[in-house]
Amino acid sequence: QAQLEESGGGSVQAGGSLKLSCVASGPVFESYAWFRQGPRKEREIVAATDKSAVTIYYTEAVKGRFFISVDSAKNTVYLQMNNLRPEDTAVYYCAASKYFLGSYYSIRERYAYWGQGTQVTVSS
């Protein structure tokens, strides 16, 4: 069975860093993404990449601070988060698709596989 397992969340002071990991098993995935959902907010795209990192996307709020990467040998996708801000507080989810999503990369319904979510809390 396909499975995504996330780790790396936690609590950090503003300006700190965290690195999230998501280990994927099952079919070969062509696309990966990280979404987040803050308290009483809609789930939003944070970053997305294809497995070869040919195409990478970041939401404007995290550009220059967050970085997505894939280790194909380990079937693992990462989200390095630097200079964290209180507004980054959210549950972070990794997602994967068998397909290259192109312009559909930010649409959550296009991802068939999801992690359980990991809490990131940034205090000021």
Side-chain angles (χ1 to χ4, degrees):
Q1 293 182 334
Q3 186 177 35
L4 304 179
E5 295 185 354
E6 300 171 341
S7 62
S11 298
V12 65
Q13 296 288 325
S17 298
L18 288 172
K19 187 174 184 177
L20 306 183
S21 300
C22 178
V23 180
S25 62
V28 175
F29 296 111
E30 295 293 334
S31 301
Y32 296 90
W34 289 93
F35 288 76
R36 67 184 181 186
Q37 186 168 14
R40 295 171 292 279
K41 296 180 180 178
E42 296 292 321
R43 191 172 300 185
E44 64 176 355
I45 185 72
V46 177
T49 185
D50 65 274
K51 68 178 182 180
S52 299
V54 174
T55 304
I56 301 175
Y57 305 92
Y58 295 101
T59 189
E60 289 293 330
V62 308
K63 284 183 177 179
R65 299 189 298 121
F66 291 11
F67 303 92
I68 189 171
S69 61
V70 176
D71 186 333
S72 295
K74 297 181 179 180
N75 296 318
T76 302
V77 60
Y78 303 95
L79 185 68
Q80 177 66 50
M81 305 184 293
N82 300 320
N83 192 24
L84 284 159
R85 305 167 180 171
E87 53 263 41
D88 296 319
T89 295
V91 178
Y92 284 72
Y93 301 88
C94 67
S97 172
K98 297 179 182 179
Y99 313 109
F100 183 83
L101 296 179
S103 62
Y104 300 100
Y105 73 93
S106 65
I107 302 175
R108 68 180 72 92
E109 290 81 4
R110 296 291 181 170
Y111 295 90
Y113 304 92
W114 289 84
Q116 77 284 358
T118 185
Q119 177 70 46
V120 172
T121 302
V122 185
S123 60
S124 60

